[in-house]
Amino acid sequence: MEITPLPFDRELNLQELLTGVSLERLGGILKALLGGDFRLVGADGRCLLGSEEPYAQPRRAEIHHDLDLLGQLESASADETRLSATAAMIELMLRLSARYHMAAELHIETVHEDFAALQQKHAALTESEARYKALSGELEARVREQIKIIESAQRQLYQAEKLASIGQLAAGVAHEINNPIGFIRSNLSTAQQYVSKLGALESVMQTGNMSQFQSAWKEAGMAFLLEDFTALLGESVDGADRVTKIVSDLKGFSNVDQAEAEIVDLNDNLRFACNMLAGQTRDRVELVMELGILPKIMCLPGHLNQVFLNLLLNAAQAIADQGRIEVRSEVAGSEIHIRISDNGCGIPEKNLDRLFDPFFTTRQVGSGTGLGLTVCRDIVQAHGGRIEVKSKEGMGTTFTVILPAG
């Protein structure tokens, strides 16, 4: 309920000053003091306490407060002295009541002013809150827009890193295939010459002269030709088998973008990745695999292939001339540990904490996106795992991919 404050120093009438006073008790006291009935009348002539009926010949005593006439006390039985004393007592009571009213209304006025000030502050805070809500909504919209832009840029960068890996993979595969194709092509050319020499003997053989045929056979070196031809065919078959194996391994990397998970043996993925690396580093890096028995797990094999290939390529690039890369897998408790170690240049301690930061790279500008290890970490984390790294500058580095075993 809202209370409208009144000026605390306003002039009060007799009825207002009697507010809060027990009129029944006051009436009993006045009746006892005056020895009979009485009338307490306001300045407007309205009876406020006592007999409603006016007296025929009453005695009156005026009641003042701060020199203002508030009313009269009338009695038909009391003498002048008693009436004046009683009126004086009423004035004294009214003075105390006036002080009470003044204090109460001053308190109400102060509280009302404070309340009005609080309402103003509340209104200001409400307006400020609405302004900040609008600003917050605008900022959230901007943040969402920036997140979309960043996510789009991140996808493009990840795609660039993936293409870089595929490019390195393609270069290795091309080198690996080119070698057997080269000697198969050379063998076929030689075989073609052998067949041509063999065809030249046909005319001699048709003469039926065995001595002439044997002489021509010996002169053409057909004994060596047949022996070498067999070797050429065997070597070409081995070359074709190598190409077949490369193609088979390459299929493991043909599903990099495959979104459906499969149950796989990670050792197979490691073998594929190592075979892809071997074609590029056979002449300078000794690649050693010690693969333990692993439980098959549900995963995105193409994505993990990219992780293993990236780590193997990093290990190979850390070896300047001749070196060694060791690939180990084992089960440790409820986890699968895959370690890829090299004895290359190692990583300075100051860079270890930044290895997985996006765009951090120690290579020359333009030689990498700086996202390789970031992509590896994100892929492993998406599979519920983690990557740990230990390195000592000049001694080599070991990356450990840790994945849940089940």
Side-chain angles (χ1 to χ4, degrees):
M1 181 180 67
E2 184 176 357
I3 300 175
T4 302
L6 298 172
F8 71 93
D9 54 350
R10 65 188 175 88
E11 294 181 356
L12 301 171
N13 58 35
L14 181 57
Q15 185 178 5
E16 290 173 327
L17 290 173
L18 291 174
T19 303
V21 176
S22 174
L23 295 180
E24 182 180 359
R25 187 176 181 186
L26 177 61
I29 294 173
L30 294 179
K31 192 172 185 178
L33 291 173
L34 297 174
D37 291 340
F38 68 93
R39 297 181 75 234
L40 184 60
V41 181
D44 57 356
R46 187 161 58 94
C47 180
L48 302 176
L49 186 63
S51 177
E52 292 289 341
E53 292 295 330
Y55 300 130
Q57 294 180 341
R59 292 189 178 88
R60 295 185 176 89
E62 293 182 346
I63 298 175
H64 296 83
H65 175 66
D66 291 342
L67 303 178
D68 294 329
L69 177 61
L70 297 181
Q72 299 181 55
L73 179 62
E74 298 179 354
S75 174
S77 56
D79 56 22
E80 291 289 344
T81 303
R82 181 175 295 184
L83 187 61
S84 298
T86 303
M89 184 206 69
I90 292 173
E91 288 179 349
L92 180 60
M93 180 195 69
L94 295 178
R95 190 175 294 114
L96 296 174
S97 177
R99 292 180 179 176
Y100 165 78
H101 278 277
M102 182 179 293
E105 291 178 355
L106 178 61
H107 174 72
I108 291 173
E109 185 175 336
T110 302
V111 170
H112 189 272
E113 290 177 354
D114 292 343
F115 181 68
L118 289 175
Q119 283 184 318
Q120 291 179 352
K121 290 181 179 178
H122 176 69
L125 289 174
T126 301
E127 182 181 358
S128 176
E129 182 183 7
R131 189 165 60 250
Y132 280 116
K133 280 185 177 179
L135 180 60
S136 175
E138 183 180 350
L139 289 175
E140 286 182 3
R142 289 183 180 178
V143 169
R144 286 195 294 270
E145 183 179 355
Q146 290 299 318
I147 288 175
K148 289 182 180 177
I149 294 173
I150 292 172
E151 288 178 344
S152 176
Q154 189 178 39
R155 283 195 296 272
Q156 293 177 6
L157 290 170
Y158 273 39
Q159 189 66 21
E161 175 60 30
K162 189 183 300 178
L163 291 174
S165 299
I166 293 174
Q168 289 179 305
L169 173 62
V173 170
H175 176 79
E176 191 67 3
I177 291 179
N178 189 55
N179 181 269
I181 289 296
F183 67 72
I184 289 174
R185 175 68 177 80
S186 176
N187 289 346
L188 289 176
S189 179
T190 304
Q192 192 176 29
Q193 296 174 12
Y194 288 170
V195 170
S196 177
K197 288 184 177 180
L198 184 60
L201 294 177
E202 183 180 6
S203 58
V204 179
M205 187 175 62
Q206 288 178 350
T207 62
N209 187 332
M210 183 56 65
S211 176
Q212 185 179 357
F213 176 74
Q214 288 177 344
S215 176
W217 179 274
K218 186 176 181 181
E219 183 180 350
M222 290 307 296
F224 168 78
L225 186 150
L226 289 177
E227 182 182 355
D228 191 47
F229 190 60
T230 302
L232 292 180
L233 289 178
E235 189 180 47
S236 297
V237 169
D238 291 341
D241 289 342
R242 283 174 57 183
V243 173
T244 301
K245 188 174 185 307
I246 293 169
V247 172
S248 176
D249 291 342
L250 191 58
K251 287 182 179 178
F253 289 84
S254 63
N255 55 354
V256 171
D257 289 325
Q258 183 175 340
E260 295 182 0
E262 294 181 9
I263 297 177
V264 300
D265 184 344
L266 291 179
N267 283 337
D268 293 336
N269 301 67
L270 286 171
R271 292 189 189 95
F272 295 155
C274 288
N275 289 339
M276 291 298 101
L277 179 73
Q280 304 180 51
T281 61
R282 183 176 291 112
D283 56 340
R284 66 184 185 89
V285 175
E286 179 188 5
L287 187 58
V288 178
M289 286 192 290
E290 296 181 5
L291 305 181
I293 298 175
L294 300 180
K296 292 185 177 181
I297 64 170
M298 179 71 75
C299 66
L300 296 172
H303 292 198
L304 290 180
N305 285 343
Q306 185 179 355
V307 172
F308 299 148
L309 183 62
N310 281 353
L311 295 179
L312 285 169
L313 288 171
N314 284 348
Q317 290 169 354
I319 299 173
D321 297 319
Q322 298 294 320
R324 177 186 176 94
I325 296 176
E326 297 177 352
V327 180
R328 292 185 172 85
S329 64
E330 63 178 0
V331 176
S334 59
E335 297 175 331
I336 294 174
H337 289 198
I338 296 171
R339 293 185 177 85
I340 297 177
S341 305
D342 66 74
N343 60 353
C345 60
I347 302 169
E349 187 175 355
K350 64 178 182 180
N351 293 337
L352 286 176
D353 293 336
R354 303 181 59 194
L355 282 183
F356 298 99
D357 292 348
F359 310 114
F360 176 77
T361 179
T362 56
R363 300 179 191 171
Q364 294 181 352
V365 177
S367 60
T369 62
L371 288 173
L373 289 177
T374 305
V375 173
C376 292
R377 179 201 59 190
D378 292 349
I379 291 175
V380 172
Q381 287 182 345
H383 284 77
R386 64 187 186 279
I387 297 181
E388 296 178 352
V389 56
K390 292 182 179 178
S391 183
K392 190 171 183 180
E393 193 169 7
M395 300 295 290
T397 303
T398 296
F399 282 92
T400 304
V401 177
I402 301 170
L403 295 167

